[in-house]
Amino acid sequence: AATSKFYAVCGSDTMCRVDTITPFPGTFTSLNLGAVEASADPCRIRYWSGTGKLYLPCMTSNTVIVWDPVTDTGEAKTGFENPVDVVFTNSKAFAVQNSAIGLREIT
């Protein structure tokens, strides 16, 4: 929201940023997630207004990428088991895992 940009995961090591939507077809930027996590392959993307960051759970690499849209840089957080989604409380972010331990805090 702060950057007025839209993001979409592309099912690989690439995330697409929509910079403008007009005039049609707008402008797009391809962001390389492979530089953050070699086998990223995120399954979705979530934005948390509490931190202003994007969270990308990467089930195949057992990581969650925390992406800063202001600087277009990311950090791979490790220690997860098949993360498929991310949920937030007022003060914390959690990876939703496809495992016996359903939630694990992202620190």
Side-chain angles (χ1 to χ4, degrees):
T3 61
S4 298
K5 296 184 173 143
F6 303 93
Y7 294 82
V9 294
C10 301
S12 66
D13 62 353
T14 304
M15 179 169 59
C16 180
R17 182 183 70 215
V18 180
D19 299 310
T20 62
I21 54 174
T22 57
F24 185 80
T27 58
F28 302 85
T29 301
S30 178
L31 302 167
N32 180 13
L33 298 174
V36 177
E37 171 56 53
S39 57
D41 200 18
C43 50
R44 69 185 62 228
I45 187 170
R46 299 281 185 209
Y47 173 75
W48 185 18
S49 60
T51 61
K53 299 196 174 162
L54 305 169
Y55 293 76
L56 297 87
C58 304
M59 188 168 67
T60 56
S61 63
N62 292 321
T63 61
V64 174
I65 295 174
V66 180
W67 189 269
D68 186 342
V70 175
T71 61
D72 272 336
T73 59
E75 178 183 359
K77 303 288 188 167
T78 60
F80 302 99
E81 187 176 346
N82 301 319
V84 295
D85 204 351
V86 175
V87 294
F88 308 106
T89 66
N90 288 336
S91 59
K92 296 181 179 181
F94 294 88
V96 179
Q97 303 181 121
N98 187 17
S99 71
I101 300 172
L103 294 176
R104 180 157 296 181
E105 185 177 357
I106 302 167
T107 56

